[in-house]
C-alpha cells in the first residue's frame, strides 16, 4: 500500500512496510513517537519537487477543489502500478480512480497514518530541513490567500454599487450646472434657450460664441444642424437680451467647461459600469439592462444578498414606501419598483405592465442566482429567458396567435362536431334560436276559447265572411251614390232607416260572435264608425233637400 502526501516543497509517496499495524488505529500514534520507529512503518518511495512558487500555487488550488494537476498525474502513473493508494481527500481519490485507474483508499487509518508522517516529515524525507520547510509553507500560504482574494475580487460588486451611485450624482450635478448656464447666459441671449434644447450642445455653443454679436461670423456646423444654426444667426440679430461684460463671459465659459468635462467623465463611467456588469452579472444585464441591474444590486447591498430575495421582492424593490403605505391604508399594493425602467416593461401596453413585471421579476431572480452562485460566465440563460418573455408579451398583445394555437403538448385540439359551427374568420359556435313560450302575454279564458274556435274553423268560412263584407261595402257605396243624386223621389221614412240600422248592428254582432278575437274587435269598431259617418253624410243632403222644398212651398 502507498500513501500520497502533499508538502509545500512537492508531492511525496510513502510505502507502508507493515500493513498489519493499520488495523490498530489507536496504536498508530505510538509508532511515530521516534524517527526510527517511523522508518519501520513507512518508507519514502518517490518525491516530486515543485520547480517554482506558481507551480506550487496551481497544485494547491487544484487540490482544494479536489482535482489533480498534470504533474501529479504523471507522478502517480510512474510510481503507482498495481498498488492501492491512500489519499487525504475522497474527491481527489475518486478523480484519480476514474482517470488513472488506480485504487484509492480514504479512511481513519489512512488519516492517522498521515498525521504520523507529518509529525516525522523532516526525518522521513532526507534533505528537507526545518529551516527550509517553514519559509516555503509561509510563502505558499501567502500566495494562496492572495490568489483567493484576487479571484473573489472579480465577483466583488462594491465597484458596481459605487459606480451607479456616482453616476446618479453626476446626472444631478450635470442638470444643476446646465440649468445654471441657461439662466446665466439667458440674460444676454434669452432666445437661445428655445432654439437649442440639448444641454451639452447649449454649453458648446455658448463656449464657442461668447457674445451674441459674434454668432453671425462663426461656424456652428460641428455642433448644430444647419436649420438650427440658421435660426440661431437670425435670432442673435433681433435678440432682446442685455449687454454682458468680458469678465462675466469668462466665468460663463468656465462653467461650460465644467459641464463638458462632467459629461465626458459620465460617458467614461457608463462604459466602465457596462463592462463590469457584463463580467459580474451577465444574465442580469441581459434581462433588465446595465443601469437597472446595477440599481438592483446597489439597493440589495450586494449580488449575494440580492440572490437570496424571491421574485416578488425583486418586483417591488425600490417601492418600499408605496408598499407600506398601501398596506397601512388598505389600498392596492404597487406592481413594480426599480424594475419598471426595464425595456421589456416599457414595450408593454399599460394593461399588460403588471403581468410582464411579475414574469420579468421571476426570471430576473433566477438570472441573479445564476450569476451569483453559478460557475458559468456567459449570458445564455438570460438571453433565453428574455426571448421567452418577449414571446409572452406578443401573445398577450395578440400579435402572434398561430404559435399558441395547439395544446400544451404541441398537438392541436380535436373539437366535437357541431352543426351550428360557423365557418370563417369568426369561427364562433352559436346555438339556433327557439321560440320562447314563457314570453307570451297572459290572455283571458274567454279570449282563449275564442282563439281555439277560430283555429278550429275551416278556411272557407273566413273567405265567405270576406265576400259578405265586400258585398255590404258595395251596397253602402250604391246607397251613397243614390243619396248624392238630385232629390226627385220622396225621402225614405224614418222607420225604414231605423230598421236598416238594426240590421247592420245585428250583422256586425254576428260577425263579432263568429270571430271572437280581441284583436279583430278594434278593426270592426272602426268599420262601424265609418259606416255611421257615411250614413250621416247621406242623411244630411236629404235634410237639406227637404228644407229647400219647404221654402219653395
Amino acid at each position: 500500500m502507498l500513501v500520497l502526501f502533499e508538502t509545500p516543497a512537492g508531492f511525496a509517496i510513502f510505502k507502508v512496510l507493515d500493513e498489519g499495524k493499520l488495523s490498530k488505529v489507536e496504536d498508530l500514534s505510538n509508532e511515530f513517537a521516534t524517527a526510527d520507529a517511523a522508518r519501520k512503518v513507512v518508507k519514502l518511495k518517490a518525491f516530486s519537487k515543485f520547480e517554482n512558487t506558481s507551480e506550487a500555487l496551481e497544485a494547491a488550488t487544484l487540490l482544494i477543489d479536489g482535482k489533480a494537476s498534470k504533474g501529479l498525474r504523471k507522478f502517480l502513473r510512474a510510481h503507482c502500478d498495481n498498488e492501492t493508494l491512500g489519499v487525504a481527500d475522497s474527491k481527489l481519490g475518486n478523480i484519480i480512480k476514474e482517470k488513472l485507474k488506480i485504487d484509492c483508499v480514504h479512511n481513519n487509518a489512512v488519516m492517522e497514518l498521515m498525521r504520523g508522517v507529518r509529525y516525522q516529515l523532516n526525518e522521513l524525507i532526507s534533505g528537507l530541513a526545518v529551516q527550509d520547510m517553514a519559509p516555503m509553507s509561509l510563502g505558499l500560504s501567502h500566495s494562496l490567500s492572495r490568489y483567493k482574494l484576487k479571484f473573489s475580487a472579480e465577483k466583488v460588486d462594491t465597484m458596481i454599487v459605487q459606480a451607479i451611485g456616482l453616476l446618479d450624482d453626476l446626472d444631478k450635478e450635470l442638470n444643476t450646472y446646465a440649468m445654471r448656464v441657461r439662466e446665466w447666459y439667458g440674460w444676454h441671449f434669452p432666445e437661445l434657450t428655445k432654439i437649442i434644447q440639448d444641454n451639452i450642445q447649449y454649453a458648446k455653443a455658448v463656449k464657442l460664441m461668447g457674445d451674441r454679436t459674434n454668432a453671425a461670423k462663426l461656424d456652428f456646423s460641428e455642433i448644430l444642424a444647419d436649420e438650427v444654426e440658421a435660426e440661431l444667426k437670425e435670432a442673435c440679430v433681433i435678440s432682446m437680451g442685455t449687454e454682458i461684460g468680458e469678465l462675466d463671459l469668462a466665468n460663463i465659459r468656465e462653467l461650460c467647461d465644467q459641464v463638458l468635462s462632467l459629461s465626458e467623465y459620465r460617458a467614461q463611467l457608463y462604459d466602465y459600469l457596462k463592462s463590469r456588469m457584463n463580467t459580474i452579472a451577465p444574465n442580469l444585464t441581459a434581462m433588465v439592462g446595465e443601469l437597472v441591474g446595477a440599481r438592483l444590486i446597489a439597493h440589495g447591498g450586494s449580488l449575494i444578498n440580492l440572490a437570496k430575495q424571491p421574485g416578488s421582492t425583486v418586483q417591488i424593490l425600490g417601492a418600499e414606501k408605496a408598499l407600506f403605505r398601501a398596506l397601512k391604508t388598505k389600498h392596492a399594493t404597487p406592481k413594480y419598483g426599480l424594475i419598471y425602467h426595464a425595456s421589456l416593461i416599457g414595450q408593454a401596453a399599460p394593461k399588460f405592465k403588471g403581468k410582464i413585471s411579475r414574469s420579468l421579476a421571476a426570471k430576473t431572480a433566477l438570472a441573479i442566482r445564476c450569476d451569483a452562485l453559478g460557475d458559468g460566465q456567459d449570458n445564455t440563460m438570460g438571453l433565453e429567458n428574455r426571448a421567452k418573455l418577449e414571446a409572452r408579451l406578443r401573445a398577450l398583445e395578440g400579435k402572434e396567435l398561430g404559435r399558441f394555437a395547439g395544446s400544451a403538448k404541441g398537438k392541436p385540439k380535436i373539437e366535437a362536431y357541431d352543426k351550428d359551427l360557423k365557418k370563417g374568420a369568426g369561427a364562433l359556435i352559436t346555438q339556433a334560436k327557439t321560440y320562447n313560450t314563457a314570453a307570451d302575454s297572459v290572455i283571458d279564458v274567454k279570449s282563449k276559447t275564442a282563439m281555439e274556435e277560430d283555429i278550429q274553423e275551416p278556411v272557407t268560412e273566413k273567405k265567405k265572411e270576406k265576400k259578405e263584407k265586400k258585398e255590404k261595402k258595395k251596397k253602402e257605396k250604391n246607397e251613397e251614390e243614390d243619396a248624392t243624386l238630385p232629390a226627385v223621389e220622396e225621402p225614405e221614412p224614418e222607420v225604414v232607416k231605423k230598421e236598416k240600422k238594426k240590421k247592420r248592428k245585428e250583422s256586425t254582432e254576428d260577425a263579432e260572435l263568429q270571430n271572437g278575437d280581441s284583436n279583430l274587435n278594434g278593426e270592426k269598431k272602426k268599420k262601424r264608425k265609418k259606416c255611421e259617418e257615411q250614413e250621416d253624410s247621406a242623411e244630411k243632403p236629404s235634410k237639406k233637400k227637404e228644407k229647400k222644398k219647404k221654402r219653395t212651398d
Side-chain angles (χ1 to χ4, degrees):
M1 182 179 177
L2 303 178
V3 177
L4 177 64
F5 192 83
E6 305 98 12
T7 66
F11 293 109
I13 293 178
F14 290 93
K15 174 73 175 176
V16 180
L17 300 175
D18 190 359
E19 295 183 6
K21 294 181 180 180
L22 295 178
S23 60
K24 298 178 181 179
V25 180
E26 298 175 355
D27 299 335
L28 271 176
S29 59
N30 298 327
E31 300 294 335
F32 289 92
T34 60
D36 295 333
R39 289 190 186 97
K40 292 178 182 180
V41 179
V42 293
K43 179 184 177 182
L44 181 65
K45 183 179 181 181
F47 185 81
S48 175
K49 185 180 178 182
F50 296 135
E51 295 180 359
N52 48 32
T53 309
S54 61
E55 186 180 351
L57 179 62
E58 183 183 357
T61 51
L62 289 172
L63 285 173
I64 289 170
D65 296 333
K67 298 177 182 178
S69 61
K70 291 182 179 179
L72 178 60
R73 280 179 282 180
K74 289 180 181 178
F75 181 58
L76 292 175
R77 283 194 190 100
H79 300 283
C80 294
D81 293 335
N82 299 322
E83 293 279 351
T84 58
L85 183 67
V87 293
D89 189 5
S90 60
K91 290 182 180 179
L92 180 63
N94 292 330
I95 291 173
I96 291 171
K97 189 175 181 179
E98 288 177 4
K99 293 186 176 181
L100 304 177
K101 307 299 181 183
I102 298 171
D103 293 333
C104 297
V105 179
H106 172 75
N107 50 30
N108 293 332
V110 173
M111 295 301 293
E112 193 67 24
L113 188 64
M114 286 187 175
R115 182 169 174 267
V117 170
R118 190 178 296 109
Y119 183 67
Q120 298 291 341
L121 184 63
N122 296 324
E123 298 294 334
L124 294 173
I125 300 175
S126 60
L128 191 64
V130 179
Q131 61 269 18
D132 296 332
M133 184 65 78
M136 281 192 288
S137 60
L138 183 63
L140 182 60
S141 63
H142 285 176
S143 300
L144 191 60
S145 61
R146 276 197 299 269
Y147 175 77
K148 280 188 174 182
L149 182 63
K150 183 180 178 182
F151 179 74
S152 63
E154 294 178 358
K155 284 281 185 182
V156 167
D157 38 22
T158 53
M159 305 297 175
I160 291 174
V161 175
Q162 297 297 329
I164 191 64
L166 181 57
L167 197 67
D168 292 337
D169 293 340
L170 280 175
D171 288 335
K172 291 178 184 178
E173 292 296 325
L174 269 173
N175 288 331
T176 305
Y177 283 15
M179 291 306 296
R180 185 64 60 193
V181 169
R182 285 178 179 273
E183 290 178 3
W184 200 347
Y185 194 75
W187 290 100
H188 177 61
F189 194 2
E191 292 82 5
L192 187 63
T193 304
K194 293 182 179 179
I195 295 170
I196 303 175
Q197 300 294 330
D198 186 64
N199 292 330
I200 307 303
Q201 290 182 356
Y202 188 93
K204 288 180 180 179
V206 169
K207 182 182 177 182
L208 180 62
M209 181 168 48
D211 197 344
R212 68 171 184 266
T213 55
N214 301 328
K217 303 175 184 178
L218 296 172
D219 183 18
F220 296 93
S221 60
E222 296 181 358
I223 304 169
L224 306 173
D226 295 336
E227 298 175 356
V228 180
E229 182 181 359
E231 189 177 356
L232 187 150
K233 290 181 178 180
E234 289 177 2
C236 70
V237 179
I238 56 171
S239 178
M240 300 292 289
T242 59
E243 297 296 329
I244 193 168
E246 291 295 331
L247 184 61
D248 297 328
L249 282 174
N251 286 314
I252 292 172
R253 279 177 173 168
E254 288 180 1
L255 184 57
C256 292
D257 291 335
Q258 293 290 327
V259 172
L260 295 175
S261 63
L262 283 175
S263 66
E264 290 176 1
Y265 178 59
R266 186 196 177 281
Q268 294 176 2
L269 186 64
Y270 178 72
D271 293 337
Y272 165 75
L273 179 65
K274 190 174 180 180
S275 64
R276 294 297 291 175
M277 282 295 295
N278 285 321
T279 54
I280 293 174
N283 293 300
L284 177 61
T285 305
M287 291 296 297
V288 296
E290 296 87 7
L291 292 176
V292 178
R295 287 193 175 93
L296 286 172
I297 293 172
H299 201 83
S302 66
L303 190 63
I304 296 293
N305 291 340
L306 193 63
K308 297 175 184 177
Q309 305 297 335
S312 58
T313 304
V314 174
Q315 182 180 354
I316 59 169
L317 207 64
E320 288 85 0
K321 288 185 178 179
L323 174 66
F324 292 122
R325 191 190 308 118
L327 293 174
K328 187 177 180 181
T329 57
K330 295 182 180 179
H331 285 82
T333 54
K335 295 179 181 178
Y336 21 65
L338 292 170
I339 207 171
Y340 178 78
H341 300 287
S343 61
L344 276 171
I345 298 179
Q347 293 171 12
K351 60 181 179 179
F352 299 131
K353 285 185 186 294
K355 290 183 180 180
I356 291 298
S357 64
R358 186 165 58 251
S359 303
L360 179 62
K363 298 295 184 184
T364 304
L366 295 177
I368 293 166
R369 291 166 193 165
C370 183
D371 291 331
L373 308 171
D375 295 331
Q377 295 293 328
D378 55 350
N379 59 351
T380 54
M381 183 255 193
L383 293 174
E384 288 176 2
N385 288 332
R386 185 180 176 87
K388 289 179 183 178
L389 287 174
E390 288 174 352
R392 174 169 167 73
L393 179 60
R394 287 195 297 271
L396 286 173
E397 292 177 351
K399 292 181 180 177
E400 192 174 1
L401 296 175
R403 188 177 294 178
F404 301 95
S407 61
K409 294 182 180 179
K411 296 179 181 179
K413 293 180 180 179
I414 300 171
E415 297 180 356
Y417 173 74
D418 193 347
K419 63 180 181 179
D420 296 323
L421 181 66
K422 290 183 178 179
K423 295 181 180 180
L428 299 174
I429 297 172
T430 56
Q431 295 180 355
K433 293 183 179 179
T434 57
Y435 181 71
N436 188 10
T437 56
D440 292 341
S441 60
V442 181
I443 304 172
D444 296 337
V445 179
K446 293 180 181 180
S447 60
K448 280 185 179 180
T449 54
M451 288 171 67
E452 289 174 357
E453 290 175 358
D454 290 339
I455 292 165
Q456 291 175 1
E457 284 178 359
V459 183
T460 55
E461 291 182 359
K462 290 183 179 180
K463 290 181 179 180
K464 288 179 181 179
E465 289 176 1
K466 288 181 180 179
K467 287 181 180 180
E468 290 177 358
K469 287 178 183 179
K470 288 180 180 180
E471 289 176 356
K472 287 179 182 179
K473 287 181 181 180
K474 285 180 181 180
K475 287 180 181 179
E476 288 173 358
K477 287 181 181 179
N478 293 330
E479 289 174 358
E480 288 175 0
E481 288 175 357
D482 294 338
T484 52
L485 290 171
V488 179
E489 299 176 355
E490 293 182 356
E492 294 178 355
E494 293 179 359
V495 180
V496 178
K497 291 179 181 179
K498 288 179 181 179
E499 288 177 356
K500 286 182 178 180
K501 285 182 181 179
K502 285 181 181 179
K503 288 179 180 179
R504 288 172 188 167
K505 287 180 181 179
E506 288 173 358
S507 63
T508 53
E509 287 175 358
D510 294 335
E512 287 176 0
L513 290 170
Q514 289 175 0
N515 293 328
D517 193 356
S518 59
N519 295 327
L520 295 173
N521 290 335
E523 294 179 359
K524 291 184 177 179
K525 285 180 181 179
K526 290 179 182 179
K527 289 178 181 179
R528 281 186 211 163
K529 288 181 180 179
K530 286 182 180 180
C531 294
E532 289 175 358
E533 289 174 358
Q534 290 174 0
E535 288 174 0
D536 293 336
S537 62
E539 288 175 1
K540 285 179 181 179
S542 61
K543 287 181 181 179
K544 288 179 181 179
K545 289 175 183 178
E546 289 176 358
K547 287 181 181 179
K548 286 180 180 179
K549 283 182 179 181
K550 287 179 182 179
R551 288 176 184 174
T552 51
D553 294 334

